[in-house]
Amino acid sequence: MRLALCFRYVLCLGKALPVRGLLSCSQVRDLPYHDYSALSPHCEQTVEYKSSSLDLVTLLKSRAHRTTMAVDFTGKWELESSENIDNYLKALDIDFAFRKIAAHLTPTKTFTQDGDNFVIKTQSAFKSYELIFTVGVEKEEFTKGFDNRMLKTLVIWEGDKLVATQKGEKANRGWKHWIEDDKLHLELTCEDAVCHQVYKRKD
C-alpha cells in the first residue's frame, strides 16, 4: 500500500489545527470535505508524498476548493462558437485535411453524471468519442482516431470547473469544462495553443 506523509487540517472552535500522520492514498481521497476547508494555500510546503499514480497535492487542492454540491453537467450540448481550434490542432500535429474538416463541424456533447463519475460523449458527422472518468482518479487514455497518443489523465474540481491534466508527449496538455449563464464552456490547451468553445443546451 502506498503511504503519504501529509498534514491533515481540521476545524476546532473555528481554528485550523494541523494533524500529522501517515495516510494511504485511498484514505486521503475519502477524508470528509470539512477536513479540507482550512487547508493552507501553500499546501505544496505542507504535503510530502510518494505515489506513482496519484498526485496528492492536486487531490488535496481539488477537495479544498470543491463546492458542497457538485455542478450538474448532465444533458446534451451543441457547439455554438469556437475560437483558435486550428492552432490547437496544429499543436497536436493534426494534418491539414482533418483540421479543415474540424473547423466546419458542429459537434454535440452529452454528459451523464453521477456525483464524481462522468461519461462524456462527443458526436459529430465526422467522428465520435467517449470519455469515462472519475474525478480525482488518474487513468490511462488513448486518443484513438484523434491524435492516437497514450495519456495519463487526471480530472479534478477547481471550484465549479472540471479541470483535466493530460500527461504525455505534448506539454501543457489538458482541458477545462464549466457552466456559465447556462452555456457549457470548454477550454482546450496544448503547448502554447488555447482553444475556447461555447456550447448551448440542446433539447
Side-chain angles (χ1 to χ4, degrees):
M1 178 180 291
R2 295 182 302 275
L3 295 177
L5 180 63
C6 67
F7 286 81
R8 180 180 176 187
Y9 285 78
V10 296
L11 288 178
C12 180
L13 299 178
K15 296 182 180 180
L17 301 178
V19 180
R20 189 180 184 185
L22 287 173
L23 299 175
S24 69
C25 294
S26 61
Q27 287 175 314
V28 171
R29 184 183 299 115
D30 293 337
L31 286 177
Y33 293 130
H34 69 265
D35 285 359
Y36 293 87
S37 59
L39 186 68
S40 166
H42 305 293
C43 62
E44 290 88 350
Q45 299 175 16
T46 60
V47 178
E48 297 175 7
Y49 64 97
K50 290 183 179 180
S51 171
S52 59
S53 63
L54 182 63
D55 186 334
L56 291 175
V57 174
T58 302
L59 179 59
L60 287 167
K61 282 183 175 179
S62 174
R63 298 296 294 270
H65 291 101
R66 172 159 175 194
T67 54
T68 304
M69 295 295 292
V71 175
D72 188 4
F73 287 82
T74 301
K76 184 174 286 189
W77 307 82
E78 183 178 55
L79 183 67
E80 186 175 69
S81 65
S82 183
E83 299 176 5
N84 208 32
I85 185 65
D86 191 66
N87 283 337
Y88 170 73
L89 295 176
K90 278 183 182 178
L92 289 172
D93 304 319
I94 303 297
D95 64 51
F96 177 81
F98 186 104
R99 297 202 313 270
K100 291 306 173 186
I101 293 172
H104 294 90
L105 294 177
T106 307
T108 60
K109 288 184 176 289
T110 303
F111 278 73
T112 303
Q113 179 180 353
D114 179 13
D116 281 347
N117 301 305
F118 284 81
V119 178
I120 304 176
K121 295 181 180 179
T122 304
Q123 298 173 297
S124 72
F126 185 58
K127 287 184 180 293
S128 296
Y129 308 94
E130 182 176 275
L131 178 61
I132 302 173
F133 63 90
T134 299
V135 176
V137 179
E138 186 178 73
K139 63 171 288 182
E140 288 191 347
E141 176 188 358
F142 180 56
T143 57
K144 183 179 180 180
F146 187 52
D147 65 328
N148 298 309
R149 288 186 168 98
M150 286 298 303
L151 306 171
K152 285 189 175 181
T153 301
L154 176 64
V155 182
I156 65 169
W157 289 106
E158 284 190 3
D160 290 340
K161 294 183 179 181
L162 284 173
V163 180
T165 301
Q166 297 173 303
K167 296 178 182 177
E169 181 183 339
K170 293 291 185 176
N172 192 37
R173 184 171 183 175
W175 53 260
K176 296 180 182 179
H177 265 305
W178 71 95
I179 296 175
E180 185 177 330
D181 297 328
D182 205 33
K183 298 288 181 72
L184 174 70
H185 292 254
L186 171 61
E187 182 181 277
L188 299 159
T189 58
C190 181
E191 297 180 338
D192 294 330
V194 181
C195 170
H196 182 213
Q197 296 184 328
V198 179
Y199 291 73
K200 61 183 179 181
R201 286 193 182 272
K202 184 177 182 180
D203 297 330

